[in-house]
């Protein structure tokens, strides 16, 4: 199965600078080209695959299933704008890696995070509906990295995220807000979204058909 993640907005602010967005193209509205098929994250300006084959959906696409809101994996309006992306957070025995197949998206921050600074962030998520065999899962989360990753050099699946959803996401209609904070322990340059936990650490519930996630990300620091 495939769980999809729809990332909408992520920004930071400080008392000195006011609200400053550290993420380029935070709502995925800006395109390199309008997407024509699945697994085309490089069509989204500033974003790319950090592991396997996440998908980019945009209303500008002329292709059925790639345009929003009626995508290949369910009907879902963007929370803001007309675009979103999708990632698999759990897939059971459906690939060479079996249960541990994961998809991540990633982007380079516009400003490096500062060690010792406290950052606040939040996102909203909702499950979608369409796949022959699917699972609800937990652990959809947000993580920062000091290194750039790609399809050929994937980000690790090592049971750590800076913020994640601990409970199963089972609502296919209403978005759920997830929030948290952390004090940066490294000068992070990159942000990534996905399920960074293996199947032994991930709870699931069989759902027929499919799960979709919709996310808004908010990040602030003081």
């Amino acid at each position: 199965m495939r769980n999809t993640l729809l990332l909408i907005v992520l920004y930071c602010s400080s008392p000195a600078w006011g609200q400053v967005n550290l993420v380029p193209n935070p709502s995925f509205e800006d395109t390199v080209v309008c997407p024509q098929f699945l697994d085309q994250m490089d069509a989204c300006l500033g974003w790319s695959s950090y592991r396997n084959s996440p998908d980019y959906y945009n209303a500008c696409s002329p292709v059925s299933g790639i345009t929003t809101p009626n995508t290949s994996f369910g009907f879902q309006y963007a929370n803001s704008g007309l675009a979103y992306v999708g990632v698999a957070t759990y897939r059971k025995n459906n690939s060479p890696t079996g249960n541990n197949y994961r998809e991540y998206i990633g982007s380079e921050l516009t400003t490096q995070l500062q060690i010792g600074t406290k950052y606040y962030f939040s996102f909203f998520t909702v499950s979608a509906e369409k796949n022959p065999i699917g699972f609800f899962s937990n652990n959809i989360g947000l993580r920062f990295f000091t290194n750039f990753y790609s399809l050929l050099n994937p980000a690790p699946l090592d049971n750590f995220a800076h913020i994640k959803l601990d409970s199963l996401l089972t609502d296919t209609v209403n978005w759920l807000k997830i929030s948290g904070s952390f004090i940066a322990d490294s000068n992070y340059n990159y942000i990534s979204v996905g399920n960074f936990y293996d199947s032994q650490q991930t709870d699931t519930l069989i759902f027929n058909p499919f799960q979709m996630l919709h996310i808004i990300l908010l990040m602030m620091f003081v």
Side-chain angles (χ1 to χ4, degrees):
M1 59 77 63
R2 174 186 289 261
N3 293 339
T4 59
L5 163 76
L6 316 183
L7 174 67
I8 305 304
V9 64
L10 168 60
Y11 68 87
C12 290
S13 67
S14 77
W17 300 346
Q19 293 185 351
V20 178
N21 196 335
L22 297 188
V23 178
N25 193 15
S27 62
F28 304 123
E29 300 302 306
D30 297 330
T31 63
V32 178
V33 295
C34 289
Q36 303 290 311
F37 46 83
L38 297 176
D39 186 17
Q40 199 178 1
M41 274 308 302
D42 57 356
C44 183
L45 186 65
W47 290 88
S48 61
S49 168
Y50 272 30
R51 190 181 183 96
N52 291 312
S53 57
D55 304 316
Y56 177 44
Y57 305 96
N58 194 306
C60 72
S61 175
V63 180
S64 175
I66 307 301
T67 187
T68 62
N70 193 18
T71 75
S72 298
F73 298 110
F75 187 90
Q76 178 65 56
Y77 286 107
N79 182 73
S80 106
L82 299 171
Y84 44 74
V85 299
V87 299
T89 60
Y90 180 82
R91 184 180 292 175
K92 184 175 177 62
N93 298 326
N94 198 25
S95 73
T97 54
N99 295 25
N100 286 328
Y101 180 91
R102 302 288 185 269
E103 293 175 351
Y104 307 154
I105 57 170
S107 181
E108 183 175 7
L109 299 169
T110 60
T111 300
Q112 185 182 72
L113 302 192
Q114 300 302 305
I115 295 174
T117 298
K118 190 173 187 177
Y119 293 84
Y120 298 88
F121 37 85
S122 64
F123 62 84
F124 290 84
T125 180
V126 62
S127 286
E129 55 194 5
K130 190 175 165 185
N131 210 351
I133 299 175
F135 295 82
F136 292 123
S137 74
N138 67 342
N139 286 342
I140 184 68
L142 170 71
R143 183 167 176 177
F144 296 96
F145 290 107
T146 56
N147 298 322
F148 171 79
Y149 292 99
S150 67
L151 179 62
L152 298 178
N153 177 36
L157 176 65
D158 56 4
N159 300 321
F160 175 77
H162 288 98
I163 183 174
K164 67 182 179 72
L165 176 63
D166 291 322
S167 60
L168 292 169
L169 181 63
T170 59
D171 197 330
T172 61
V173 177
N174 303 297
W175 301 346
L176 173 69
K177 184 178 181 180
I178 302 165
S179 24
S181 65
F182 84 114
I183 297 175
D185 55 1
S186 297
N187 292 127
Y188 296 109
N189 293 300
Y190 303 92
I191 186 172
S192 183
V193 181
N195 176 10
F196 301 94
Y197 292 77
D198 63 30
S199 1
Q200 290 186 335
Q201 303 295 322
T202 298
D203 294 330
T204 61
L205 176 67
I206 293 176
F207 170 59
N208 248 340
F210 170 68
Q211 178 183 358
M212 191 170 189
L213 305 176
H214 196 134
I215 279 195
I216 294 179
L217 286 153
L218 166 67
M219 177 178 165
M220 298 181 294
F221 68 85
V222 294

